[in-house]
Amino acid sequence: MPGRHHILRRRRAKVVATLGPASASAEMIETLHKGGADVFRLNFSHGDHAAHAQNLAWIRALEKKTGHPIGVLADVQGPKLRIGRFSGGHVTLQKGQAFRLDLSPTPGDVRRVQLPHPEIINAATPGMNLLIDDGKLKLRVDHVREDHLETTVLVAGRLSDRKGVNVPDVMLPIPALTKKDREDLAFALEAGVDYVGLSFVQRPEDVVEARELVGGRGWILTKLEKPQALVNLDEIVALSDAVMVARGDLGVELPPEEVPLAQRRIVRKARELGKPVIVATQMMESMISSPTPTRAEASDVAGALFEGADAVMLSAETAAGQYPLEAVDMMDRILTRTERDEEWRRVIDDRPLAPETNSAGAIAAAARAVADSSGAKVICAFTHGGSTALRIARQRPTAPILGLTPIIETARRLALVWGVHPVQIPPHDTMTAAVSSALQTARREGFATWGDEIVVTAGVPFNTPGSTNALRVATVSREQPSPAGDEK
């Protein structure tokens, strides 16, 4: 199909690019996709439904044009905790001064301001800290009253209207989905997004609630940005379809020295459970206003790969920056170069994961072993809901993975998964037909040519969700029927 070969990636890790004013056009979306963006993020903290619908329409038109499935992430905002307003628009707080947070809507001054969140007051305890304006100011709670908190300023500075409040020391009795989130979620799922980014998750029940609302219409991508979520990390990751290391809020609520350790722990747990994991926030922050990243940022992107992440994400760099294409191109270059390095491969191979304790997991591990020992050019994973491709990707094989599915929604979701090149194909009823289709697709997509071996995995019977229970090795021969458009 026209357009497929020129977007064949030279790497296994994926790139997520956020759309915004700097990238919201059909031309720029196509340019970013060709440049390396595998998944596009729609940030529902900004923009209206009409703008998001237009971006999604452009993405689907591009998908039709290229014949290549593209993933779309709808990232819902989650609860936003903010102070009220000041009579003069702002105040300057001094270190050591007393400052009150109360429920009164009266504009504040240097002595007090509204905190329109009784949940915080009810959950507060003396000695706990409140962080304001992304941690630029820090208050210690001294006394908890029925309708207000008496605090002392520990880190001083200028404080203006409606700045955000972070509460790192306590689990708040606040649901992860607000009324706005539910409306955004209903719109996004009806529009046909592939993943839903769930913010403000503190407990496993938050994911369970979201899953009931989603009803199988998309993958739930849990953003790990609250310290409380780390307490329940195993269960939260197990309940999610994918996760994100959301280092923005996580970096506000955790001490800076704890964030790299939390990132490694989250990536390791996601890999262990076979869930795609994105590392996000400030990966190339300097490229908002610079055509090149800092050396530290380049190392950060490469480091995420060494840890085993499936994908890395660009936020403001592509949404509002001056150099969106350069940011995607640079991320693509860093990922590609890192994966070519023998040290990267050695690190990945030195941390193998034990196969899942079931037949499907054993066959996925065998697929990698057979591909490695035979020198197979590609592993073709027939999958209905995506589980076969996910199991093989968990093994981090040397060979790329062709995720072959008759379900377009599955193909789009697999766009996020490490090493998987998703392709929608017609359904098959027999292993013989599947192997023939795999051989044709591997040639057409540029993964194999005459004489090359491929590995084929599938669940039999076909076209029903279930375990992977079949593995074949096949060779591309000259007698193999040529796919449409292939040269004789």
Side-chain angles (χ1 to χ4, degrees), residues 255-316:
E257 66 272 18
E258 295 294 333
V259 176
L261 303 177
Q263 175 174 315
R264 290 176 66 87
R265 181 183 167 202
I266 294 167
V267 172
R268 184 167 59 247
K269 177 53 63 174
R271 276 217 57 207
E272 178 186 319
L273 297 181
K275 305 300 177 76
V277 54
I278 303 170
V279 175
T281 316
Q282 296 179 329
M283 301 220 75
M284 290 188 168
E285 186 89 349
S286 68
M287 291 196 73
I288 295 173
S289 57
S290 171
T292 58
T294 67
R295 304 309 178 258
E297 289 168 338
S299 294
D300 186 33
V301 173
L305 256 65
F306 276 97
E307 291 175 6
D310 288 72
V312 286
M313 192 175 93
L314 295 163
S315 299

Side-chain angles (χ1 to χ4, degrees), residues 467-485:
S467 296
T468 308
N469 56 16
L471 187 151
R472 299 284 190 276
V473 178
T475 303
V476 181
S477 67
R478 288 186 178 274
E479 288 72 32
Q480 185 69 31
S482 295

Side-chain angles (χ1 to χ4, degrees), residues 240 320 332 457:
S240 306
D332 176 76
T457 64

Side-chain angles (χ1 to χ4, degrees), residues 5 8 12 375-380 399-402 404 421 435-456 473-478 480-483 486-487:
H5 287 272
L8 183 62
R12 307 289 187 263
K377 296 297 184 180
V378 66
I379 300 172
C380 297
I401 304 162
L402 264 176
L404 307 177
H421 179 86
V435 170
S436 177
S437 177
L439 289 165
Q440 293 183 53
T441 307
R443 282 182 58 198
R444 184 187 67 214
E445 297 294 319
F447 288 96
T449 187
W450 291 300
D452 289 336
E453 286 193 334
I454 68 170
V455 173
V456 182
V473 178
T475 303
V476 181
S477 67
R478 288 186 178 274
Q480 185 69 31
S482 295
D486 197 16
E487 291 186 7

